[in-house]
Amino acid sequence: MAPSFSNATTPNCDDPSTITDDATSFPKIVTLGSSRALLQMDIVNHVICLLEHTSSPNVLYLASSRSKCELTEVEHYKTCMSAFLESNCQVKCHNLIYGTIQEDIEDLLKKWADVFVCDWTEEFNRHDVIRKIGFWSDARFVLCARVSTMNAIFQANKIASHPKWRYCPAYIAMANSSQAPLLLKYGDDLNEVIGIDDHAAHVINGLHIPNAYAISGDGHATCYIYSRNGYGDEITCRPLPISSKEPIPTEEIPEFKEPAANPHLEALEEYVNTDVVIADDVIPEANHHRANSELSIDEVFPKIVAAGRIQALQMQPIVDKVIELSGVDLPNLLYVGTASFDRTEVFHVSTKKFREMGCEIRRLDISDKESVSSLKDMREMVVDWAEVIMCSGGNTLHALIRWKEIGLDLLMKEASLKGTVLCGGSAGAGCWFSSLHTDSLRPDNTKNKELVLDELTEEELSDWNFTKISALGFIDAMCVPHFDAIGSNGHSRAEDAKHILQNDPSTPAIGVDENAALVVVGNGALAVSGDGRATCHIVVADEQTGAVISASLPTSWQEPVPLDEILEFPVPATGEHLETLEEFVDTDFVIADDIISELSLHSNHSEWSCNEVVPKIVAAGKPGALQLQPIFDKVIELSGSELPKLLYIGTASFDRTDKFNNCTKRFRDIGCEVRRLDVSEKESVPSSEDMREMVVDWAEVIMCSGGNTLHALIRWKEIGLDLLMKEASLKGTVLCGGSAGAGCWFSSLHTDSLRPDNTKNKELVLDELTEEELSDWNFTKISALGFIDAMCVPHFDAIGSNGHSRAEDAKHILQNDPSTPAIGVDENAALVVIGSEVMAVSGDGKATCHIVVPDEDSGEIMTASFPTTLREPLPIKNVLDLSLPAITR
């Protein structure tokens, strides 16, 4: 229901100066191209949405009918109101000629109606009725009328939607081009005419602080700006965008036809080689800063969220990351729309999600010289006030030139050093990199793009090339936004970027899919998907062959990975053995087969404390199982310390940081000191003395990663790390790991080391090989370190990417070689070994371990599950008796 009014708050409608300047004080004005526009459900739905206080508004239809019958019986009324009635609105009508037919007009106007539809004829204008409604402080309603009626309402009430323009039906002006020029010629100093298509509407939010936009009823109809071209008689016609779902200031709408005034835009191509890098020292400085202190997320810099397109910053996972990095629930957001020439509809699209959340938002408009704030005011907004700076998409080259001209680039660098989040999509993503793959030279990448789109042919609009330009330099790589998209020139962004790298391989590229974002925190980065599919891609040129290779980043990472490592993501590991890994399958890696057999000579070892018994091993079915509470607790218990010192050895996963993050998270979360020993590549191997200090003297828990066990065992044997781990085990260090990090402790291992994508650059392999090629491989049995005399089968309850069951394949191996029993470990379980005793621990209450042995009489392979209810380990013989009571030992 419309609010009640009092004389005390009613201004003098004959004097617009008495009307308040609050934009929300005035009715929403919906001017229709024709009455038929009300038949368009999109327009009616939008009218309803304009009313924030109700979804089923009261609609008052005002007409001037000379018929004395009920208006509800008039066919025209039924047609005009049908869409409102279908939307569950309450509709009443009033005949302004015979007003006694229905309720008193005063009550309807002041107490009942939310929407007024003025449909009277021109010869019977009742603008005094609108004066009764009044444009006063409480008038929060929607006023709908056709073009002629709305012009008359504005004129009669001495309130103009804009002092220099008037409405006309666009379909008439387009069919009879004389109408618009006549209106402009004889229109009392009119500068523009707003034309409205038959099935369109023009919406104004507020009168004295007007904001406007076009609504299309059929997806094609729109509104147009007709304007004089200088002092001549030539009239230009420009469509309003129908993609904008929020109001644009009316003073900005006539400027859609005007190009931006900056001199550099006349010869933008000349600026392609301009060096605008100013932040190439930020990440090195951040690295030094982090090396000297333990920092919270608030203290880390830079913090960047670079999205593939600006709309991706409305997707929840990416929005959440911006909020998380800001450190506050509702950060102060500064929007810099230079690349989009400070157009308000782009501001609306870019900031919508953050406005809906309740964030305070300011705009910094500096695209034109006239709008630039003082340096003092800019510093206050950029450095002192903003907690998030968002840069728009659009013409990056224009934005970078303007920022350099006025010093905004240096202010944004200063803001980044104090922890302000820098974000944006498309141009607003690429600007943070050292270089950018851009469409800045695209003919319609201008302020007045609607004019260009109207004037140029399709052939002319597609006649342009992507180019590489310099950018601010926070991230030393070339950004390729819209990586998964095709440009309006018909060229793939991804392929064009690869071509640029072939010609200039000096800088790697990071491609960002349209619905993804690259998140940079200090010297680390990760990919975030907005839709669960899109991601980021690393594109590099091979140093030896010159071939350009690319790999997709996983979107499952929860923590950043060093940028230097990410930029080498597609590059394969360099170990010579990896080229012919299959030749190493029969290598003997056993070095610890004497440990348990030596212990068995000491019959009283069961009386020792846990700290005195060796070895102590926790072998999980997959690396993630070590994060499950029961298994995690067992590692802590065996270490004898509440916060054991943990040494992570990621050789099997080629020392990838993402694997380190996943495997050690639980231990880091509780405050354990964690070190990593990277030996996958020869260049990273520390000296023998440093390795001994870490492995034997310092570590209380040694964790080995999952991955390629054969690669790890070869590397450990080459550098003597296997012997150091044996020595550490003899002093009571806990040995643990999942998958490859479980199987390495056994005398042999059922492994997928020959799987095509079990490589350092697996993402590249996954991208390049077909599904058939990826599934064309076999499990194999290899030797391992020998602490436990059995063949380990990790992932026992899983199916390999070759389609084979791990459990069934292990049985097949035992049929061919029954000399060694097998122990299968389900993915969410772990085998715990303490001296010569074992137990199974379930991480989820269901998973367990399994003994797989051939029957001594029949040779049939038998499998039995370990009980997970044991509180203490038992000798392996006892566990076998519990598991396989039918087998005589």
Side-chain angles (χ1 to χ4, degrees):
M1 179 176 290
S4 60
F5 312 115
S6 67
N7 291 333
T9 60
T10 304
N12 179 1
C13 291
D14 291 326
D15 182 6
S17 65
T18 65
I19 302 176
T20 74
D21 285 333
D22 178 7
T24 62
S25 306
F26 300 99
K28 278 77 171 177
I29 305 297
V30 179
T31 306
L32 308 167
S34 70
S35 296
R36 290 182 293 278
L38 287 176
L39 302 180
Q40 309 301 313
M41 191 57 73
D42 283 349
I43 293 177
V44 169
N45 286 340
H46 201 94
V47 169
I48 294 171
C49 288
L50 288 172
L51 294 159
E52 298 175 358
H53 63 281
T54 178
S55 59
S56 300
N58 298 332
V59 180
L60 179 60
Y61 176 76
L62 299 170
S64 55
S65 174
R66 298 191 181 280
S67 171
K68 292 189 177 182
C69 67
E70 292 280 350
L71 279 181
T72 52
E73 300 302 319
V74 177
E75 195 63 34
H76 181 69
Y77 159 81
K78 293 179 181 179
T79 302
C80 289
M81 291 294 100
S82 60
F84 283 109
L85 291 168
E86 288 177 20
S87 300
N88 297 319
C89 298
Q90 296 185 56
V91 179
K92 291 185 179 181
C93 56
H94 191 94
N95 189 338
L96 295 171
I97 296 179
Y98 301 105
T100 57
I101 294 177
Q102 290 198 2
E103 301 168 46
D104 182 71
I105 184 65
E106 297 281 343
D107 286 339
L108 290 173
L109 293 175
K110 293 186 177 181
K111 298 180 180 179
W112 185 80
D114 300 305
V115 177
F116 298 88
V117 178
C118 302
D119 194 26
W120 52 68
T121 56
E122 290 186 28
E123 69 271 16
F124 192 80
N125 282 329
R126 287 294 306 275
H127 309 304
D128 58 308
V129 172
I130 303 303
R131 197 183 305 276
K132 289 179 183 293
I133 305 170
F135 298 98
W136 43 57
S137 60
D138 285 333
R140 300 172 187 269
F141 55 85
V142 179
L143 178 64
C144 298
R146 288 172 294 151
V147 164
S148 57
T149 305
M150 195 64 78
N151 281 331
I153 289 172
F154 286 144
Q155 186 175 9
N157 286 277
K158 297 183 180 180
I159 304 232
S161 52
H162 190 284
K164 297 295 183 182
W165 59 257
R166 185 175 297 171
Y167 288 120
C168 79
Y171 71 95
I172 295 176
M174 293 173 72
N176 178 5
S177 59
S178 63
Q179 183 170 357
L182 286 173
L183 279 171
L184 292 172
K185 186 174 182 179
Y186 302 108
D188 300 326
D189 297 324
L190 285 177
N191 289 339
E192 285 91 25
V193 170
I194 302 296
I196 309 175
D197 278 344
D198 199 1
H199 289 169
H202 184 264
V203 179
I204 300 176
N205 260 341
L207 293 177
H208 278 225
I209 309 177
N211 297 279
Y213 54 104
I215 311 172
S216 177
D218 58 13
H220 305 289
T222 186
C223 304
Y224 301 81
I225 304 168
Y226 296 89
S227 58
R228 291 190 184 95
N229 189 359
Y231 295 99
D233 293 331
E234 183 182 351
I235 303 299
T236 59
C237 172
R238 305 291 169 253
L240 283 180
I242 58 176
S243 57
S244 180
K245 302 301 182 185
E246 297 186 69
I248 303 166
T250 52
E251 64 268 18
E252 188 176 312
I253 288 175
E255 294 177 2
F256 276 19
K257 68 182 187 301
E258 302 292 340
N262 309 88
H264 62 260
L265 292 168
E266 298 173 9
L268 195 60
E269 197 164 355
E270 296 177 7
Y271 292 81
V272 164
N273 295 321
T274 303
D275 184 1
V276 295
V277 172
I278 49 90
D280 53 331
D281 58 336
V282 171
I283 287 182
E285 185 176 336
N287 294 343
H288 176 75
H289 190 47
R290 291 191 81 176
N292 288 283
S293 60
E294 290 294 328
L295 301 177
S296 69
I297 188 66
D298 294 337
E299 300 170 292
V300 176
F301 61 86
K303 293 180 283 193
I304 298 172
V305 180
R309 60 174 181 158
I310 197 64
Q311 291 88 342
L313 281 164
Q314 308 304 301
M315 295 180 167
Q316 201 61 52
I318 299 174
V319 171
D320 289 345
K321 188 57 68 173
V322 174
I323 299 298
E324 174 192 328
L325 293 182
S326 75
V328 294
D329 292 337
L330 296 173
N332 295 337
L333 189 147
L334 178 64
Y335 172 82
V336 181
T338 322
S340 58
F341 301 91
D342 297 327
R343 286 181 52 153
T344 297
E345 80 272 20
V346 182
F347 164 79
H348 288 321
V349 171
S350 303
T351 61
K352 185 174 188 294
K353 195 82 172 182
F354 296 87
R355 287 182 286 117
E356 289 174 349
M357 291 167 56
C359 296
E360 184 178 350
I361 296 179
R362 296 185 190 177
R363 291 176 61 163
L364 180 58
D365 291 350
I366 54 98
S367 182
D368 292 322
K369 291 182 179 179
E370 296 74 18
S371 62
V372 178
S373 305
S374 69
L375 186 60
K376 178 182 177 182
D377 288 344
M378 279 204 299
R379 171 177 291 280
E380 187 277 328
M381 281 193 282
V382 176
V383 179
D384 300 332
W385 181 81
E387 293 167 314
V388 173
I389 295 174
M390 177 188 289
C391 293
S392 73
N395 194 310
T396 330
L397 187 52
H398 163 63
L400 291 165
I401 293 169
R402 288 294 296 135
W403 298 345
K404 189 179 183 73
E405 286 175 346
I406 65 173
L408 179 57
D409 53 351
L410 297 175
L411 290 178
M412 289 196 288
K413 175 182 176 180
E414 188 176 345
S416 80
L417 292 172
K418 65 181 279 286
T420 301
V421 180
L422 310 176
C423 71
S426 189
C431 63
W432 313 119
F433 288 68
S434 60
S435 58
L436 166 67
H437 181 266
T438 181
D439 61 357
S440 292
L441 302 181
R442 199 182 75 225
D444 62 322
N445 200 346
T446 62
K447 176 184 177 184
N448 59 335
K449 64 179 295 183
E450 288 78 13
L451 168 65
V452 176
L453 289 170
D454 272 358
E455 292 191 342
L456 297 187
T457 65
E458 287 189 14
E459 184 177 0
E460 289 171 322
L461 287 169
S462 64
D463 185 19
W464 60 275
N465 293 311
F466 293 109
T467 190
K468 178 183 177 181
I469 64 173
S470 166
L472 298 181
F474 288 89
I475 306 162
D476 189 19
M478 178 177 75
C479 180
V480 189
H482 307 277
F483 190 75
D484 53 345
I486 306 295
S488 62
N489 57 4
H491 297 168
S492 158
R493 293 259 190 172
E495 293 305 315
D496 194 271
K498 290 178 182 178
H499 180 71
I500 287 175
L501 255 71
Q502 283 178 329
N503 295 326
D504 178 13
S506 59
T507 306
I510 300 179
V512 187
D513 288 344
E514 291 202 322
N515 289 342
L518 182 78
V519 176
V520 176
V521 184
N523 68 338
L526 55 86
V528 177
S529 179
D531 61 9
R533 297 180 300 277
T535 186
C536 301
H537 310 263
I538 307 302
V539 188
V540 297
D542 187 281
E543 293 181 357
Q544 296 181 343
T545 66
V548 176
I549 52 178
S550 67
S552 305
L553 292 182
T555 57
S556 56
W557 296 350
Q558 299 300 311
E559 299 178 75
V561 171
L563 271 166
D564 290 345
E565 184 178 324
I566 284 179
L567 293 174
E568 295 184 353
F569 216 58
V571 179
T574 58
E576 295 177 3
H577 59 269
L578 292 168
E579 298 175 10
T580 55
L581 197 59
E582 198 165 354
E583 296 178 6
F584 292 82
V585 165
D586 296 325
T587 304
D588 184 0
F589 298 105
V590 173
I591 49 90
D593 54 330
D594 56 330
I595 291 182
I596 291 182
S597 58
E598 184 177 328
L599 283 169
S600 64
L601 300 175
H602 301 276
S603 59
N604 295 324
H605 78 271
S606 59
E607 299 174 3
W608 298 352
S609 70
C610 186
N611 290 336
E612 298 174 291
V613 178
V614 294
K616 292 180 285 192
I617 299 172
V618 180
K622 65 176 181 178
L626 286 164
Q627 310 300 303
L628 300 174
Q629 195 68 48
I631 299 172
F632 173 79
D633 288 344
K634 187 56 69 174
V635 175
I636 299 296
E637 175 193 327
L638 293 183
S639 74
S641 170
E642 291 183 0
L643 296 173
K645 298 171 183 174
L646 187 144
L647 178 64
Y648 172 84
I649 301 176
T651 322
S653 59
F654 301 90
D655 297 326
R656 282 179 44 159
T657 299
D658 55 320
K659 307 301 181 185
F660 165 81
N661 288 340
N662 292 339
C663 291
T664 61
K665 184 178 189 306
R666 195 69 184 268
F667 296 87
R668 288 181 288 116
D669 286 348
I670 68 168
C672 293
E673 185 179 351
V674 178
R675 294 187 193 176
R676 53 189 286 186
L677 178 57
D678 292 349
V679 300
S680 182
E681 301 281 352
K682 292 180 180 179
E683 297 75 16
S684 64
V685 178
S687 66
S688 299
E689 293 78 12
D690 288 344
M691 276 205 299
R692 171 175 291 278
E693 187 276 328
M694 281 193 281
V695 177
V696 180
D697 301 332
W698 181 82
E700 294 172 312
V701 174
I702 293 174
M703 176 189 290
C704 292
S705 72
N708 195 310
T709 330
L710 187 52
H711 163 64
L713 290 165
I714 293 169
R715 289 295 296 136
W716 297 345
K717 189 180 184 72
E718 286 176 346
I719 63 175
L721 180 55
D722 52 352
L723 297 174
L724 289 178
M725 290 195 286
K726 175 181 178 180
E727 189 174 344
S729 78
L730 290 171
K731 66 181 283 286
T733 302
V734 179
L735 310 175
C736 70
S739 188
C744 63
W745 311 120
F746 287 69
S747 60
S748 59
L749 167 67
H750 182 265
T751 181
D752 61 357
S753 292
L754 302 181
R755 199 181 75 224
D757 62 322
N758 200 344
T759 62
K760 175 189 174 185
N761 58 337
K762 65 176 295 181
E763 286 74 16
L764 170 62
V765 176
L766 289 170
D767 283 347
E768 290 191 342
L769 297 187
T770 65
E771 289 188 13
E772 184 178 359
E773 290 171 321
L774 287 169
S775 62
D776 186 19
W777 60 275
N778 295 309
F779 293 110
T780 190
K781 177 183 178 181
I782 63 173
S783 165
L785 298 180
F787 288 89
I788 306 163
D789 189 19
M791 178 177 75
C792 180
V793 188
H795 307 278
F796 190 75
D797 52 345
I799 306 295
S801 62
N802 58 5
H804 297 167
S805 159
R806 293 261 191 169
E808 293 305 314
D809 195 271
K811 290 178 183 178
H812 180 71
I813 288 176
L814 255 69
Q815 282 177 332
N816 295 327
D817 179 12
S819 59
T820 307
I823 296 179
V825 187
D826 288 343
E827 290 202 322
N828 287 339
L831 182 77
V832 176
V833 178
I834 305 173
S836 60
E837 298 179 340
V838 298
M839 64 186 297
V841 177
S842 179
D844 60 10
K846 300 184 289 290
T848 186
C849 299
H850 312 266
I851 185 74
V852 186
V853 294
D855 184 276
E856 292 181 351
D857 296 327
S858 66
E860 180 185 354
I861 302 300
M862 303 182 65
T863 302
S865 303
F866 281 51
T868 57
T869 55
L870 299 178
R871 295 186 175 274
E872 299 291 338
L874 294 175
I876 187 73
K877 176 182 181 302
N878 294 7
V879 175
L880 290 175
D881 289 341
L882 286 172
S883 304
L884 295 170
I887 299 179
T888 303
R889 289 293 182 193

